[in-house]
Amino acid sequence: MKNVNHFFEHKKILTLILVSAFLWSSIRIFYTDQTLISYDGISTLFNFLWSVFYLDVTPEFLVICLKAVVQTILYAFGGLSLAIIIAIPIGILSSGTCIYNKYVNNTVVTTLRFVLACTRSIHELIWALLLVSIIGLSPMVAVLALTIPYVGILGRIFAEQLRDVPQQPIRLLLSNGASYTKAVMYGRIPLAMPNIISYIFYRLECGIRSAAIMSFIGIQGIGYQIHLSLLDLRFGQVWTGLICLTILVVVVDAWSSIVRKALTS
Amino acid sequence: MNKLSDSTVKNKYIIRISLISSVILSIISWGYVLFESRYSLPGLFSLHTVTETKEFISKLMGFEQNLSLAYQFNSWFELRHLAFETLLMSICSIGIAGIIALTTCIFASRNFHDDTIFGYSRPLLKIVYFIVRNIYSFTRAIPELILAIILMLFLTPGIWVAAIALAIHNVGVLGKLYSECIEDMDITALKSLQSSGARGWQLLSYAVLPQLLPKFLTYLLYRWEVVIRTTVVVGLVSAAGLGREFRLSFSYFHYEDLGLLLLWYIVLVIIVDLLCSLLRQFITVRY
């Protein structure tokens, strides 16, 4: 055991591992892959970059973009709200704080953690592809596909936050005769609430980005508009869509950082 | 005293208004989603969906044609090249992103152009700060998938497209995290070096990096875990790694291959999680 600890103290080993992994992988890709830039690629690139100056700002397209932005926001909020509703009971159960019986608690915690890890490890677009082949193409798919991985992420964070609250108030409640469930209800949840809300607002931005890429399976939204304009090779419209998406994400980010600052002070 | 209570009241209002507005937005969005999918909603909560799901899962497992993993172990094992390609792609992209973010993050931190370190504000660096910050938020806002679709216009399909798309997105994410670290750092060492004549790059390598490198590496490993999950999605459009096979077997309705690919995907995610927790021991051992 001591030897192992000694091994991990050498920082040079870490540097060596990281640098050699990066060099090896890039050299490997460089030699196996074909030429980087496709035929006529450079002129297309300049064409694409130059069309920043030809943004499509006609009122019709701006209205389309605004509608798409609103759709993206709505899908993100729908998916996140359902994920929060599902993740709260799962998070409480998998925090291992509300069941008194030790064996029941251990089995519940390990199974729930495994389920959360599985839902978390698959990307939301893959979930969407799988769901489309089950329930067909509808806005429900976007919402459910957002919900499933976010339950995994939020459930884990809820469990961690509920476990890491200051222990003194909880012990006081338990010694005064409260049951484990009541200690969770009146002790742990109020104490962990600010952190949980701030994390949810942090995830909002990621949710919006995830909702935007649902375009790939044909769900409406700002990503869909960008994709369509790109297929038409109208680069001015593509840039307008990209700028709309950036403004949306920046605004949501600013909102969430204001809320988080208000929660911590 | 009066000022303090004012700010707490303000904070309370901010939190209350944002919570109420997000609840209202959620309700509106559910109304919208249910209205838009009104034809499929009765179908969603019916026996039909259950049987469809069962059928789909059994197809995915390959139970239909006796093609489950036990029968197909060889073909599963042959996919290891693709999985390996995907792993290389993720390492390469996170390496490029880390290098670019590490070299530019110092220009994107606020305390390098105002008077906290140098004692006077520097307008030229302020312009650089503005540009770099905006590039970060632009690349951060655009998802990897859309970046890959755009890059496919001028690059040949392959691993590089996916790696570059992932790298561009992660430059924004890592750069923002790094510059926030620099803004929150302890600047006494920085100030003493600066007063003895050190300048930009020297400050980065002798004052910022020794203090913040453990934090930076932790963020880098955390992003690697995220990147390995997204490689498959980027591979869907850029014809690289597991994503290409994923899309092909979806188009051919070869659901049993899809099951094998999903299994490889989960195996990759688990491998990267384990590697990250191993590498984190190097970082956390002294702190």
Side-chain angles (χ1 to χ4, degrees):
Chain A
M1 197 59 210
K2 214 173 182 183
N3 275 331
V4 173
N5 280 340
H6 194 66
F7 175 74
F8 285 122
E9 272 176 26
H10 289 292
K11 295 260 157 135
K12 277 173 190 162
I13 298 173
L14 179 66
T15 320
L16 193 72
I17 292 173
L18 292 179
V19 170
S20 57
F22 173 61
L23 284 179
W24 172 64
S25 64
S26 44
I27 288 168
R28 181 99 195 217
I29 294 176
F30 194 75
Y31 279 110
T32 53
D33 219 21
Q34 65 276 59
T35 48
L36 179 59
I37 290 163
S38 64
Y39 176 71
D40 221 15
I42 300 275
S43 65
T44 320
L45 175 62
F46 278 116
N47 204 352
F48 179 73
L49 289 180
W50 186 248
S51 50
V52 187
F53 302 110
Y54 298 99
L55 285 181
D56 192 339
V57 282
T58 49
E60 299 93 59
F61 191 69
L62 284 182
V63 167
I64 289 172
C65 270
L66 194 68
K67 212 178 147 195
V69 163
V70 170
Q71 270 171 335
T72 306
I73 294 172
L74 289 181
Y75 289 140
F77 267 94
L80 264 182
S81 58
L82 188 61
I84 291 164
I85 291 168
I86 298 172
I88 284 171
I90 292 180
I92 289 171
L93 279 177
S94 68
S95 68
T97 48
C98 70
I99 300 172
Y100 185 70
N101 190 328
K102 212 173 177 184
Y103 299 106
V104 176
N105 193 15
N106 280 345
T107 45
V108 166
V109 168
T110 39
T111 47
L112 277 180
R113 268 197 205 150
F114 181 71
V115 170
L116 289 181
C118 280
T119 57
R120 203 168 55 223
S121 69
I122 295 178
H123 197 263
E124 45 263 25
L125 197 65
I126 305 290
W127 278 119
L129 278 170
L130 296 178
L131 281 172
V132 160
S133 31
I134 295 175
I135 54 178
L137 190 61
S138 76
M140 210 61 193
V141 171
V143 173
L144 288 180
L146 271 182
T147 304
I148 295 169
Y150 277 84
V151 165
I153 296 164
L154 291 176
R156 194 189 97 185
I157 295 297
F158 289 177
E160 276 175 11
Q161 295 291 350
L162 286 175
R163 213 170 37 234
D164 295 345
V165 294
Q167 293 299 313
Q168 237 154 359
I170 310 298
R171 237 176 276 146
L172 196 70
L173 276 174
L174 289 177
S175 66
N176 277 327
S179 65
Y180 267 55
T181 349
K182 275 190 180 149
V184 169
M185 288 269 289
Y186 299 104
R188 285 179 191 273
I189 290 178
L191 280 171
M193 213 50 180
N195 281 336
I196 286 177
I197 291 175
S198 89
Y199 191 79
I200 289 171
F201 271 96
Y202 164 71
R203 272 287 151 191
L204 193 61
E205 186 211 337
C206 303
I208 290 212
R209 245 185 285 127
S210 307
I213 62 164
M214 289 298 160
S215 68
F216 188 69
I217 54 162
I219 303 287
Q220 301 268 313
I222 184 70
Y224 191 67
Q225 286 309 323
I226 295 171
H227 200 161
L228 280 185
S229 312
L230 201 66
L231 292 179
D232 289 346
L233 297 179
R234 291 190 183 168
F235 296 143
Q237 289 189 354
V238 173
W239 278 106
T240 316
L242 290 179
I243 288 168
C244 280
L245 182 58
T246 311
I247 290 171
L248 172 63
V249 170
V250 166
V251 166
V252 169
D253 196 27
W255 181 32
S256 79
S257 70
I258 286 170
V259 172
R260 273 182 287 154
K261 214 170 268 175
L263 276 165
T264 48
S265 66
Chain B
M1 188 61 213
N2 197 16
K3 210 173 180 182
L4 187 78
S5 64
D6 266 4
S7 75
T8 48
V9 166
K10 203 178 136 201
N11 283 343
K12 222 175 177 179
Y13 275 119
I14 287 173
I15 295 165
R16 200 169 288 170
I17 288 169
S18 346
L19 281 181
I20 290 170
S21 57
S22 37
V23 167
I24 290 171
L25 264 173
S26 311
I27 291 168
I28 292 172
S29 78
W30 271 102
Y32 173 76
V33 168
L34 293 181
F35 175 74
E36 280 282 298
S37 57
R38 60 189 180 282
Y39 298 113
S40 64
L41 193 62
L44 189 63
F45 298 103
S46 66
L47 217 65
H48 181 66
T49 319
V50 178
T51 50
E52 285 273 292
T53 314
K54 253 187 202 165
E55 209 174 282
F56 184 72
I57 289 173
S58 73
K59 268 187 202 161
L60 215 59
M61 299 285 202
F63 288 152
E64 301 249 309
Q65 301 147 354
N66 277 346
L67 284 171
S68 61
L69 185 62
Y71 297 93
Q72 269 196 306
F73 189 75
N74 279 329
S75 60
W76 185 73
F77 196 64
E78 272 162 19
L79 286 172
R80 70 185 185 279
H81 296 295
L82 285 177
F84 187 63
E85 220 173 57
T86 314
L87 194 67
L88 286 183
M89 185 164 101
S90 73
I91 293 172
C92 189
S93 63
I94 197 70
I96 296 170
I99 288 168
I100 297 175
L102 207 60
T103 45
T104 53
C105 63
I106 201 161
F107 299 112
S109 49
R110 193 173 290 116
N111 52 4
F112 260 80
H113 71 78
D114 65 8
D115 50 359
T116 40
I117 293 171
F118 297 103
Y120 53 90
S121 61
R122 317 213 300 183
L124 195 69
L125 273 185
K126 192 169 184 177
I127 297 167
V128 176
Y129 162 83
F130 186 73
I131 294 168
V132 175
R133 254 285 151 90
N134 276 319
I135 290 174
Y136 280 172
S137 27
F138 187 66
T139 53
R140 199 161 48 91
I142 300 166
E144 301 93 331
L145 187 73
I146 293 173
L147 276 173
I149 295 172
I150 292 171
L151 283 177
M152 282 290 280
L153 283 176
F154 25 84
L155 301 182
T156 44
I159 310 176
W160 274 118
V161 179
I164 291 171
L166 284 167
I168 291 173
H169 178 74
N170 280 296
V171 164
V173 178
L174 282 176
K176 196 197 168 216
L177 287 170
Y178 287 1
S179 58
E180 273 174 3
C181 277
I182 292 177
E183 278 170 15
D184 294 337
M185 75 183 272
D186 180 19
I187 57 165
T188 40
L190 240 174
K191 265 192 163 171
S192 71
L193 268 181
Q194 190 268 327
S195 63
S196 50
R199 315 208 97 221
W201 295 102
Q202 291 165 334
L203 285 177
L204 177 70
S205 54
Y206 291 108
V208 176
L209 283 187
Q211 194 185 349
L212 292 180
L213 204 58
K215 238 179 184 176
F216 285 0
L217 285 177
T218 316
Y219 280 134
L220 195 77
L221 292 178
Y222 154 70
R223 282 312 294 181
W224 188 30
E225 286 176 12
V226 179
V227 160
I228 191 74
R229 268 157 221 174
T230 359
T231 41
V232 175
V233 171
V234 176
L236 286 178
V237 291
S238 67
L242 285 174
R244 181 185 62 194
E245 284 301 311
F246 211 89
R247 192 168 181 183
L248 285 179
S249 40
F250 238 109
S251 313
Y252 291 137
F253 302 108
H254 288 170
Y255 286 115
E256 60 279 351
D257 293 347
L258 210 64
L260 303 183
L261 288 168
L262 271 178
L263 206 64
W264 256 123
Y265 179 31
I266 293 173
V267 166
L268 267 185
V269 170
I270 290 169
I271 287 173
V272 169
D273 275 9
L274 289 177
L275 277 178
C276 279
S277 59
L278 193 73
L279 288 176
R280 260 189 214 115
Q281 292 193 357
F282 282 105
I283 299 165
T284 50
V285 76
R286 234 180 261 179
Y287 294 87

Short mmCIF file of all heavy atoms in Angstrom, two decimals, chain A residues 123 125 209-210 212-217 223 226-227 230, chain B residues 142-152 161-162 165-166 169 230-238 247:
data_model
loop_
_atom_site.label_atom_id
_atom_site.label_comp_id
_atom_site.label_asym_id
_atom_site.label_seq_id
_atom_site.Cartn_x
_atom_site.Cartn_y
_atom_site.Cartn_z
N HIS A 123 -25.40 9.12 -24.38
CA HIS A 123 -25.70 10.50 -24.77
C HIS A 123 -27.16 10.67 -25.15
O HIS A 123 -27.80 9.72 -25.59
CB HIS A 123 -24.80 10.84 -25.98
CG HIS A 123 -24.69 12.29 -26.22
ND1 HIS A 123 -25.46 12.95 -27.13
CD2 HIS A 123 -23.89 13.23 -25.67
CE1 HIS A 123 -25.14 14.22 -27.14
NE2 HIS A 123 -24.18 14.42 -26.27
N LEU A 125 -28.64 12.13 -27.56
CA LEU A 125 -29.02 11.93 -28.96
C LEU A 125 -29.19 10.45 -29.28
O LEU A 125 -30.07 10.06 -30.05
CB LEU A 125 -27.96 12.55 -29.87
CG LEU A 125 -28.43 12.75 -31.28
CD1 LEU A 125 -29.54 13.76 -31.32
CD2 LEU A 125 -27.31 13.22 -32.15
N ARG A 209 -28.37 23.48 -24.87
CA ARG A 209 -27.52 23.01 -25.95
C ARG A 209 -27.95 21.61 -26.41
O ARG A 209 -27.95 21.31 -27.61
CB ARG A 209 -26.06 22.99 -25.47
CG ARG A 209 -25.23 23.97 -26.24
CD ARG A 209 -23.79 23.88 -25.87
NE ARG A 209 -23.50 24.46 -24.60
CZ ARG A 209 -22.87 23.84 -23.62
NH1 ARG A 209 -22.47 22.61 -23.77
NH2 ARG A 209 -22.62 24.45 -22.49
N SER A 210 -28.33 20.77 -25.46
CA SER A 210 -28.79 19.42 -25.84
C SER A 210 -30.06 19.48 -26.64
O SER A 210 -30.25 18.70 -27.57
CB SER A 210 -29.01 18.57 -24.59
OG SER A 210 -27.90 18.57 -23.79
N ALA A 212 -30.89 21.81 -28.61
CA ALA A 212 -30.59 22.32 -29.95
C ALA A 212 -30.11 21.23 -30.89
O ALA A 212 -30.34 21.31 -32.09
CB ALA A 212 -29.56 23.44 -29.87
N ILE A 213 -29.43 20.20 -30.36
CA ILE A 213 -28.91 19.17 -31.26
C ILE A 213 -29.93 18.08 -31.56
O ILE A 213 -29.63 17.16 -32.30
CB ILE A 213 -27.61 18.52 -30.77
CG1 ILE A 213 -27.83 17.81 -29.47
CG2 ILE A 213 -26.50 19.50 -30.69
CD1 ILE A 213 -26.72 16.87 -29.14
N MET A 214 -31.13 18.19 -30.99
CA MET A 214 -32.17 17.21 -31.34
C MET A 214 -32.59 17.35 -32.79
O MET A 214 -33.39 16.57 -33.30
CB MET A 214 -33.39 17.40 -30.44
CG MET A 214 -33.17 16.97 -29.03
SD MET A 214 -32.81 15.24 -28.92
CE MET A 214 -32.04 15.16 -27.33
N SER A 215 -32.08 18.41 -33.46
CA SER A 215 -32.37 18.61 -34.88
C SER A 215 -31.98 17.41 -35.71
O SER A 215 -32.57 17.14 -36.74
CB SER A 215 -31.60 19.82 -35.37
OG SER A 215 -30.22 19.52 -35.36
N PHE A 216 -30.97 16.69 -35.25
CA PHE A 216 -30.41 15.61 -36.05
C PHE A 216 -31.44 14.53 -36.37
O PHE A 216 -31.37 13.89 -37.41
CB PHE A 216 -29.21 15.01 -35.32
CG PHE A 216 -28.46 14.02 -36.13
CD1 PHE A 216 -27.72 14.43 -37.23
CD2 PHE A 216 -28.50 12.68 -35.83
CE1 PHE A 216 -27.03 13.52 -37.98
CE2 PHE A 216 -27.82 11.77 -36.59
CZ PHE A 216 -27.08 12.19 -37.67
N ILE A 217 -32.39 14.33 -35.44
CA ILE A 217 -33.42 13.33 -35.72
C ILE A 217 -34.68 13.99 -36.26
O ILE A 217 -35.68 13.31 -36.47
CB ILE A 217 -33.75 12.50 -34.48
CG1 ILE A 217 -34.13 13.42 -33.32
CG2 ILE A 217 -32.61 11.62 -34.10
CD1 ILE A 217 -34.86 12.69 -32.24
N GLY A 223 -31.39 24.37 -33.83
CA GLY A 223 -30.44 23.49 -34.50
C GLY A 223 -30.96 23.01 -35.84
O GLY A 223 -30.23 22.88 -36.81
N ILE A 226 -30.50 25.74 -38.42
CA ILE A 226 -29.10 25.81 -38.86
C ILE A 226 -28.81 24.68 -39.84
O ILE A 226 -28.19 24.89 -40.89
CB ILE A 226 -28.16 25.75 -37.64
CG1 ILE A 226 -28.33 26.97 -36.76
CG2 ILE A 226 -26.71 25.64 -38.08
CD1 ILE A 226 -27.61 26.89 -35.46
N HIS A 227 -29.29 23.50 -39.49
CA HIS A 227 -29.06 22.33 -40.34
C HIS A 227 -29.67 22.52 -41.73
O HIS A 227 -29.04 22.26 -42.75
CB HIS A 227 -29.67 21.12 -39.63
CG HIS A 227 -29.13 19.82 -40.09
ND1 HIS A 227 -29.25 18.66 -39.37
CD2 HIS A 227 -28.47 19.47 -41.20
CE1 HIS A 227 -28.69 17.69 -40.02
NE2 HIS A 227 -28.21 18.14 -41.13
N LEU A 230 -27.79 25.03 -43.77
CA LEU A 230 -26.51 24.46 -44.19
C LEU A 230 -26.69 23.53 -45.38
O LEU A 230 -25.88 23.51 -46.30
CB LEU A 230 -25.88 23.72 -43.02
CG LEU A 230 -24.40 23.51 -43.10
CD1 LEU A 230 -23.71 24.83 -43.03
CD2 LEU A 230 -23.94 22.65 -41.96
N ILE B 142 -22.02 26.61 -29.34
CA ILE B 142 -22.39 25.77 -30.48
C ILE B 142 -22.09 24.32 -30.15
O ILE B 142 -20.96 23.98 -29.84
CB ILE B 142 -21.63 26.21 -31.73
CG1 ILE B 142 -21.96 27.66 -32.03
CG2 ILE B 142 -21.99 25.35 -32.91
CD1 ILE B 142 -21.05 28.28 -32.99
N PRO B 143 -23.08 23.45 -30.22
CA PRO B 143 -22.85 22.05 -29.87
C PRO B 143 -21.89 21.37 -30.85
O PRO B 143 -21.73 21.81 -31.99
CB PRO B 143 -24.24 21.43 -29.98
CG PRO B 143 -25.18 22.55 -29.96
CD PRO B 143 -24.48 23.71 -30.53
N GLU B 144 -21.26 20.29 -30.37
CA GLU B 144 -20.24 19.60 -31.17
C GLU B 144 -20.82 19.07 -32.47
O GLU B 144 -20.15 19.06 -33.50
CB GLU B 144 -19.67 18.41 -30.39
CG GLU B 144 -19.03 18.73 -29.08
CD GLU B 144 -19.99 18.61 -27.93
OE1 GLU B 144 -21.20 18.83 -28.13
OE2 GLU B 144 -19.54 18.30 -26.82
N LEU B 145 -22.08 18.62 -32.40
CA LEU B 145 -22.70 18.01 -33.57
C LEU B 145 -22.82 19.01 -34.71
O LEU B 145 -22.48 18.71 -35.86
CB LEU B 145 -24.08 17.47 -33.19
CG LEU B 145 -24.77 16.66 -34.23
CD1 LEU B 145 -24.12 15.32 -34.36
CD2 LEU B 145 -26.22 16.49 -33.89
N ILE B 146 -23.28 20.23 -34.38
CA ILE B 146 -23.44 21.26 -35.42
C ILE B 146 -22.08 21.67 -35.96
O ILE B 146 -21.90 21.86 -37.17
CB ILE B 146 -24.23 22.45 -34.84
CG1 ILE B 146 -25.66 22.00 -34.54
CG2 ILE B 146 -24.24 23.61 -35.81
CD1 ILE B 146 -26.49 22.99 -33.84
N LEU B 147 -21.08 21.77 -35.07
CA LEU B 147 -19.71 22.07 -35.52
C LEU B 147 -19.23 21.01 -36.50
O LEU B 147 -18.62 21.33 -37.53
CB LEU B 147 -18.76 22.13 -34.32
CG LEU B 147 -18.71 23.45 -33.57
CD1 LEU B 147 -17.87 23.28 -32.33
CD2 LEU B 147 -18.10 24.51 -34.45
N ALA B 148 -19.50 19.75 -36.19
CA ALA B 148 -19.04 18.67 -37.07
C ALA B 148 -19.73 18.74 -38.41
O ALA B 148 -19.11 18.53 -39.46
CB ALA B 148 -19.28 17.32 -36.42
N ILE B 149 -21.04 19.07 -38.41
CA ILE B 149 -21.77 19.17 -39.68
C ILE B 149 -21.18 20.29 -40.52
O ILE B 149 -21.01 20.15 -41.74
CB ILE B 149 -23.28 19.40 -39.42
CG1 ILE B 149 -23.89 18.20 -38.73
CG2 ILE B 149 -24.01 19.65 -40.72
CD1 ILE B 149 -25.31 18.42 -38.29
N ILE B 150 -20.84 21.42 -39.87
CA ILE B 150 -20.25 22.54 -40.63
C ILE B 150 -18.87 22.15 -41.16
O ILE B 150 -18.54 22.41 -42.32
CB ILE B 150 -20.16 23.79 -39.74
CG1 ILE B 150 -21.56 24.30 -39.44
CG2 ILE B 150 -19.37 24.89 -40.43
CD1 ILE B 150 -21.60 25.38 -38.42
N LEU B 151 -18.06 21.48 -40.30
CA LEU B 151 -16.70 21.14 -40.72
C LEU B 151 -16.69 20.13 -41.86
O LEU B 151 -15.75 20.08 -42.64
CB LEU B 151 -15.92 20.55 -39.54
CG LEU B 151 -15.41 21.54 -38.51
CD1 LEU B 151 -14.74 20.81 -37.38
CD2 LEU B 151 -14.44 22.50 -39.14
N MET B 152 -17.77 19.35 -41.96
CA MET B 152 -17.82 18.35 -43.03
C MET B 152 -17.83 19.00 -44.41
O MET B 152 -17.58 18.35 -45.41
CB MET B 152 -19.08 17.49 -42.89
CG MET B 152 -18.98 16.44 -41.83
SD MET B 152 -17.86 15.17 -42.29
CE MET B 152 -18.92 14.24 -43.38
N VAL B 161 -12.19 15.22 -38.47
CA VAL B 161 -13.35 16.11 -38.38
C VAL B 161 -13.95 16.04 -36.99
O VAL B 161 -14.20 17.07 -36.34
CB VAL B 161 -14.41 15.72 -39.43
CG1 VAL B 161 -15.60 16.61 -39.32
CG2 VAL B 161 -13.84 15.79 -40.81
N ALA B 162 -14.16 14.81 -36.53
CA ALA B 162 -14.75 14.63 -35.21
C ALA B 162 -13.84 15.22 -34.13
O ALA B 162 -14.30 15.93 -33.23
CB ALA B 162 -14.99 13.16 -34.96
N ALA B 165 -13.92 19.06 -34.27
CA ALA B 165 -15.19 19.60 -33.78
C ALA B 165 -15.26 19.53 -32.26
O ALA B 165 -15.63 20.50 -31.59
CB ALA B 165 -16.36 18.84 -34.39
N LEU B 166 -14.87 18.37 -31.71
CA LEU B 166 -14.87 18.23 -30.26
C LEU B 166 -13.88 19.21 -29.62
O LEU B 166 -14.17 19.80 -28.58
CB LEU B 166 -14.49 16.80 -29.88
CG LEU B 166 -15.56 15.75 -30.07
CD1 LEU B 166 -14.96 14.38 -29.96
CD2 LEU B 166 -16.62 15.92 -29.03
N HIS B 169 -15.24 22.89 -29.54
CA HIS B 169 -16.23 23.11 -28.49
C HIS B 169 -15.58 23.13 -27.11
O HIS B 169 -15.89 23.98 -26.28
CB HIS B 169 -17.29 22.01 -28.56
CG HIS B 169 -18.33 22.12 -27.50
ND1 HIS B 169 -19.31 23.08 -27.54
CD2 HIS B 169 -18.53 21.43 -26.37
CE1 HIS B 169 -20.08 22.95 -26.48
NE2 HIS B 169 -19.63 21.95 -25.75
N THR B 230 -19.58 11.99 -26.06
CA THR B 230 -20.03 12.72 -27.25
C THR B 230 -19.37 12.22 -28.53
O THR B 230 -19.85 12.54 -29.61
CB THR B 230 -19.76 14.21 -27.10
OG1 THR B 230 -19.16 14.44 -25.85
CG2 THR B 230 -21.01 14.99 -27.17
N THR B 231 -18.27 11.46 -28.40
CA THR B 231 -17.58 11.01 -29.62
C THR B 231 -18.51 10.24 -30.53
O THR B 231 -18.44 10.39 -31.76
CB THR B 231 -16.39 10.10 -29.28
OG1 THR B 231 -16.78 9.24 -28.26
CG2 THR B 231 -15.18 10.89 -28.94
N VAL B 232 -19.37 9.42 -29.94
CA VAL B 232 -20.26 8.60 -30.77
C VAL B 232 -21.21 9.49 -31.56
O VAL B 232 -21.45 9.28 -32.75
CB VAL B 232 -21.03 7.62 -29.88
CG1 VAL B 232 -22.03 6.85 -30.68
CG2 VAL B 232 -20.08 6.68 -29.21
N VAL B 233 -21.71 10.53 -30.89
CA VAL B 233 -22.66 11.43 -31.54
C VAL B 233 -22.00 12.18 -32.68
O VAL B 233 -22.56 12.33 -33.77
CB VAL B 233 -23.24 12.40 -30.50
CG1 VAL B 233 -24.05 13.46 -31.16
CG2 VAL B 233 -24.06 11.65 -29.52
N VAL B 234 -20.75 12.66 -32.44
CA VAL B 234 -20.04 13.38 -33.50
C VAL B 234 -19.69 12.41 -34.63
O VAL B 234 -19.73 12.78 -35.80
CB VAL B 234 -18.81 14.08 -32.92
CG1 VAL B 234 -18.01 14.74 -34.00
CG2 VAL B 234 -19.23 15.10 -31.92
N GLY B 235 -19.38 11.16 -34.26
CA GLY B 235 -19.07 10.17 -35.27
C GLY B 235 -20.24 9.87 -36.19
O GLY B 235 -20.05 9.45 -37.33
N LEU B 236 -21.47 10.11 -35.70
CA LEU B 236 -22.65 9.87 -36.54
C LEU B 236 -22.60 10.67 -37.82
O LEU B 236 -22.98 10.19 -38.88
CB LEU B 236 -23.92 10.26 -35.77
CG LEU B 236 -24.44 9.39 -34.65
CD1 LEU B 236 -25.65 10.04 -34.06
CD2 LEU B 236 -24.79 8.04 -35.17
N VAL B 237 -22.14 11.94 -37.73
CA VAL B 237 -22.13 12.77 -38.93
C VAL B 237 -20.78 12.75 -39.64
O VAL B 237 -20.72 12.97 -40.84
CB VAL B 237 -22.54 14.23 -38.62
CG1 VAL B 237 -23.97 14.29 -38.25
CG2 VAL B 237 -21.65 14.82 -37.58
N SER B 238 -19.69 12.50 -38.90
CA SER B 238 -18.39 12.64 -39.53
C SER B 238 -17.78 11.31 -39.95
O SER B 238 -16.62 11.27 -40.33
CB SER B 238 -17.43 13.37 -38.61
OG SER B 238 -17.17 12.57 -37.50
N ARG B 247 -24.65 4.54 -37.25
CA ARG B 247 -25.59 5.10 -38.23
C ARG B 247 -25.91 4.09 -39.32
O ARG B 247 -27.05 3.95 -39.75
CB ARG B 247 -24.97 6.35 -38.83
CG ARG B 247 -25.97 7.14 -39.60
CD ARG B 247 -25.43 8.48 -39.93
NE ARG B 247 -26.42 9.24 -40.67
CZ ARG B 247 -26.19 10.44 -41.14
NH1 ARG B 247 -25.03 11.00 -40.95
NH2 ARG B 247 -27.12 11.09 -41.80
#
